[in-house]
Amino acid sequence: MLRPLLRIAVLASSLAALLAPVTRAGTLTVGPTGSGAQFDDLVAAVSAAGAGDVILVAAGSYVGGSTLVIDKSLTILGEGSGVTSYEIVAGDIFSVQLPLHVLNLTPGEEVRIVGLELSARASTFGGKAAGGLLVSGCQGPVVFADVVSGGPV
């Protein structure tokens, strides 16, 4: 009598495991070097993130050499555009890139970016040469809140 109940319990738990989502959203942290955060580079955190993950960005100025490219469901939460920024520094005025490009989201995918300033400049020029962001080929929503950009949107 117990044996059929045991089989049903094993079958039910196996079925539940098969029906569970394959991936689960995780949380990644970005902070200044020595802060204890998982990353000190926002581009590396975006690259490492899985679909549906949340990236928490501590206050600070993050400087990189490449565009933040997002092509999956992702949430980036900075501490506020007045205290959290990402800037691309290019070699000269002719090689300045946009700091953010969200592309090719499918229906059901969503990107949320909150509390972040985005800018770009040329190291030989000295001042901010551009900012802006680009959203292209997205069938899912892209949501911005408290995002400041020094250029075209």
Side-chain angles (χ1 to χ4, degrees):
M1 185 71 165
L2 287 177
R3 195 175 275 277
L5 291 176
L6 181 60
R7 281 189 201 162
I8 291 172
V10 169
L11 180 60
S13 65
S14 298
L15 185 58
L18 288 173
L19 295 177
V22 175
T23 59
R24 298 195 192 281
T27 301
L28 292 86
T29 57
V30 177
T33 302
S35 68
Q38 295 166 299
F39 297 90
D40 61 5
D41 180 335
L42 191 51
V43 173
V46 168
S47 295
D53 282 355
V54 174
I55 300 174
L56 303 176
V57 186
S61 296
Y62 302 91
V63 178
S66 62
T67 300
L68 291 172
V69 177
I70 302 173
D71 61 357
K72 57 194 163 203
S73 288
L74 191 64
T75 299
I76 299 176
L77 300 174
E79 288 193 30
S81 63
V83 296
T84 311
S85 64
Y86 176 71
E87 180 180 50
I88 293 178
V89 177
D92 60 61
I93 192 72
F94 301 106
S95 60
V96 172
Q97 306 170 41
L98 291 176
L100 175 70
H101 187 187
V102 180
L103 70 155
N104 301 333
L105 298 181
T106 59
E109 291 184 310
E110 179 175 349
V111 168
R112 295 180 187 150
I113 301 177
V114 178
L116 194 62
E117 179 181 350
L118 303 167
S119 63
R121 68 178 168 91
S123 60
T124 56
F125 184 64
K128 289 186 179 170
L133 49 99
L134 178 62
V135 176
S136 63
C138 293
Q139 297 175 13
V142 179
V143 179
F144 298 99
D146 187 24
V147 173
V148 175
S149 173
V153 178

